[in-house]
Amino acid sequence: MSDETLGDSVTTKVEPLQVSLSPQERFSEYLQSRGLRQTNQRKFLIDQVFSQHDHFDAEELIERLPRRGEQNYVSTATVYRTLRECVDAGLLNCFQLDGRTVYDHDYGYPQHDHLYCTRCRKLLEFQSDELIAIRDSVAALHGFRVESHRMIIQGICRECSRSRRKKRKQDLV
Amino acid sequence: MSDETLGDSVTTKVEPLQVSLSPQERFSEYLQSRGLRQTNQRKFLIDQVFSQHDHFDAEELIERLPRRGEQNYVSTATVYRTLRECVDAGLLNCFQLDGRTVYDHDYGYPQHDHLYCTRCRKLLEFQSDELIAIRDSVAALHGFRVESHRMIIQGICRECSRSRRKKRKQDLV
DNA sequence: CTGATTGCAAATTCTTTGCACCATC
DNA sequence: GATGGTGCAAAGAATTTGCAATCAG
């Protein structure tokens, strides 16, 4: 499993899964299966979205794309439309955080949840089988058929705790 | 504990806590402590918000308030402003769901999480000590100082499963 | 009285939509 | 060459904000 474990079901690292198709290929299949088209905009966006494993929102994505007039420019509307298609295709997951919609790689990564640092706004991932077990117990108790879940732990990350401590020391000197 | 239990730390009911002050009184204290004022609008809104234990969003609240021109009318802006004060005062909790901000009674109720039926959009509450334990383990593993968390289990509630099943039977007949 | 509060309307922010033109299948 | 896709600008939805009038302490 991973380097640090607690009991045997909580891991600190969320590692990529082995998948037979790349996100690009998988998206192609999705498009084909629905009679949708393979456009340059869609291809370019998928490449961008999967070029790094990270969380992002529409604004952040748009920011790192070419501007209007530049090569490979994609309009805002198309970005939003494509993001939604990615979610439908199972490539991305999305959830609301602080009022914005955050997208998260779904395809190629195991189900996981998040730690959210309210100071630096970083999202960390974690994975816990126990959490899933509890989820299922709770659902069973309510006769609830689970489709998915989302857990976000808010707080202060290690780095932010450290820098806060440092600052305080300096203040005292 | 409650009527149904699973292990000893998951309960189906989230019961009110004993609190020494009513939400109204507690809000008064909050206002006083900050040199804010006790207005009719604020009093009226708190009464409305705590008249029933339920989740709601700003729109739903506004819908059941008096209209413009009627007695006790409160403007949209004031509703939003007061909701935020309630959150600051610790009376309400809020979180994002399907793009809207949902408010939840915090004061007078134990910490709890939610089951969300994607068919009827109902929110059910549950409480699990085990969940908290896992949260704390995960956080510890990451050197993360927990402030709060939010877990939402999405799926289909018992009632919606039933009616779906009924429909299918009828379809077959 | 003085500063906080309110209502109103305008402004924001994020996202979606209508439509004419364009491109894939 | 049909149909779906794109860019653009305008429309929406949900909140927030500026400001003058009003009100609580």
Side-chain angles (χ1 to χ4, degrees), chain A residues 29-172:
Chain A
E29 290 214 335
Y30 168 82
L31 292 174
Q32 279 204 319
S33 73
R34 303 214 176 184
L36 303 177
R37 290 169 186 175
Q38 201 85 37
T39 66
N40 292 329
Q41 287 90 333
R42 283 180 176 148
K43 278 181 229 162
F44 183 71
L45 286 175
I46 299 293
D47 286 349
Q48 289 301 310
V49 162
F50 283 90
S51 65
Q52 49 187 283
H53 181 57
D54 212 356
H55 307 85
F56 62 93
D57 59 25
E59 205 187 337
E60 287 163 357
L61 175 58
I62 290 167
E63 219 153 72
R64 67 172 205 248
L65 293 176
R67 313 286 159 189
R68 193 179 299 204
E70 293 177 20
Q71 179 97 66
N72 282 323
Y73 167 73
V74 180
S75 69
T76 307
T78 296
V79 170
Y80 278 103
R81 288 190 276 238
T82 306
L83 285 174
R84 193 188 303 188
E85 289 162 354
C86 286
V87 173
D88 291 344
L91 291 177
L92 295 177
N93 247 313
C94 70
F95 55 100
Q96 318 279 136
L97 188 60
D98 279 350
R100 63 193 184 132
T101 300
V102 177
Y103 295 88
D104 188 23
H105 291 180
D106 188 12
Y107 184 68
Y109 285 84
Q111 195 285 327
H112 59 268
D113 289 284
H114 297 93
L115 293 148
Y116 176 57
C117 177
T118 54
R119 193 163 306 158
C120 66
R121 308 205 147 194
K122 199 168 39 195
L123 272 170
L124 299 171
E125 303 180 340
F126 73 90
Q127 204 183 349
S128 166
D129 296 340
E130 289 178 16
L131 181 64
I132 304 293
I134 289 183
R135 176 195 76 177
D136 294 341
S137 301
V138 167
L141 213 54
H142 285 80
F144 203 86
R145 179 152 23 106
V146 175
E147 285 172 349
S148 67
H149 77 270
R150 176 118 285 141
M151 176 155 183
I152 298 178
I153 303 176
Q154 293 209 340
I156 307 293
C157 73
R158 184 179 279 148
E159 289 66 36
C160 284
S161 294
R162 278 203 194 114
S163 53
R164 167 63 77 93
R165 234 180 285 132
K166 269 187 206 158
K167 245 186 210 158
R168 280 183 177 161
K169 252 186 204 168
Q170 289 174 343
D171 288 346
L172 293 174

Side-chain angles (χ1 to χ4, degrees), chain B residues 20-52:
Chain B
S20 50
L21 298 179
S22 67
Q24 286 81 352
E25 291 168 332
R26 167 94 194 235
F27 194 53
S28 288
E29 290 212 336
Y30 168 83
L31 293 174
Q32 279 206 319
S33 74
R34 303 214 176 185
L36 303 177
R37 291 168 186 178
Q38 201 87 38
T39 65
N40 291 329
Q41 287 90 332
R42 294 215 258 236
K43 277 182 230 162
F44 182 72
L45 286 175
I46 299 293
D47 285 349
Q48 290 300 311
V49 161
F50 282 91
S51 65
Q52 48 186 284

